[in-house]
Amino acid sequence: MPRVFTLCSIVVHALVVSAALIAPLFAIDTLPAPQRALTFDGIRRITLDDVPRPAPRGHAARPGQSAVALTPDPAPTVMPTGIADETGRENDISTPSAFDAVGVEPGVGDAIGIGVIERIPPPPPVAAQGPVRPGSGIHAPRKILDVKPVYPQLAQAAHVEGVVILETLIDARGHVTSVHVLRSIPLLDQAAIAAVEQWTYTPTLLNGVPVPILMTVTVQFTLQGR
């Protein structure tokens, strides 16, 4: 029995598919009419005179007057015999004009027009570099002029000797401009300051620029024969 149902199902499906394929062949309908092909009756030449030109805005063409007459600054149709000199002051860039109001001055004319150059204010002055100290990539300057201190007679008579420690301010040119006593020997301080103020050093450079520097120096006083 199952085989009989299977065969019947196959036959029914075959009949349905065949009917679906054959039915369109027997359909009767009218065929669409073909469209008419485009044809050219002739060629007509169109010139600019045939195209009406629009009138300028704000002006209406008068009866009997073409729009060309209302066009401002029409192109000349006759070659000029010469070029007249300009006498108006509107093209004189040397006269005061709106350039002064906007902060610009006339430039040099080129193929396009007259250029303008904006007045750029100068850059603010660079703040002076404060004194630095040796270290962190900053090398101490080298002394190129050394002056020995004069031993005070009073200090020699009192048999006073020792080391005076000073803090010096050396400007960007290498000259000592200020001296401050850090370790004092009263009888020797002035002699040490007088000598150090005459010392000269090489300029100290920071990023290639000379800068002042603060540096600690010592002055040794030693009695002869001791």
Side-chain angles (χ1 to χ4, degrees):
M1 293 296 293
R3 293 182 178 181
V4 175
F5 287 112
T6 302
L7 292 175
C8 292
S9 176
I10 293 174
V11 172
V12 171
H13 283 79
L15 292 175
V16 173
V17 172
S18 299
L21 295 176
I22 296 173
L25 299 178
F26 295 95
I28 299 175
D29 196 0
T30 58
L31 297 176
Q35 296 181 357
R36 182 182 177 183
L38 298 177
T39 59
F40 294 93
D41 296 336
I43 300 176
R44 180 186 176 188
R45 178 176 296 177
I46 300 175
T47 61
L48 295 179
D49 295 337
D50 299 333
V51 180
R53 299 184 182 181
R57 294 183 179 179
H59 298 277
R62 299 178 181 176
Q65 183 181 12
S66 62
V68 177
L70 298 177
T71 303
D73 299 331
T77 57
V78 180
M79 182 177 64
T81 58
I83 300 176
D85 296 335
E86 295 182 356
T87 58
R89 298 177 58 86
E90 63 276 0
N91 295 325
D92 188 2
I93 62 175
S94 63
T95 58
S97 61
F99 291 119
D100 298 333
V102 296
V104 297
E105 58 185 7
V108 179
D110 51 19
I112 299 176
I114 300 176
V116 293
I117 302 175
E118 183 179 358
R119 293 176 180 172
I120 302 176
V126 180
Q129 175 67 42
V132 298
R133 291 184 179 273
S136 301
I138 301 176
H139 301 285
R142 179 174 54 87
K143 187 191 301 183
I144 57 178
L145 177 61
D146 185 19
V147 176
K148 299 297 182 181
V150 177
Y151 214 121
Q153 294 182 357
L154 183 59
Q156 293 182 19
H159 301 286
V160 176
E161 60 182 3
V163 178
V164 179
I165 302 177
L166 306 172
E167 183 182 64
T168 60
L169 174 60
I170 305 171
D171 62 12
R173 296 177 300 173
H175 300 291
V176 178
T177 59
S178 177
V179 181
H180 177 67
V181 179
L182 297 180
R183 178 180 176 183
S184 174
I185 300 178
L187 294 179
L188 303 175
D189 290 346
Q190 292 301 321
I193 293 173
V196 171
E197 286 179 343
Q198 302 178 64
W199 293 357
T200 305
Y201 293 84
T202 57
T204 303
L205 300 180
L206 178 62
N207 298 326
V209 179
V211 294
I213 185 172
L214 286 171
M215 191 168 61
T216 302
V217 298
T218 59
V219 181
Q220 177 76 38
F221 290 88
T222 304
L223 293 173
Q224 298 294 332
R226 296 189 61 180

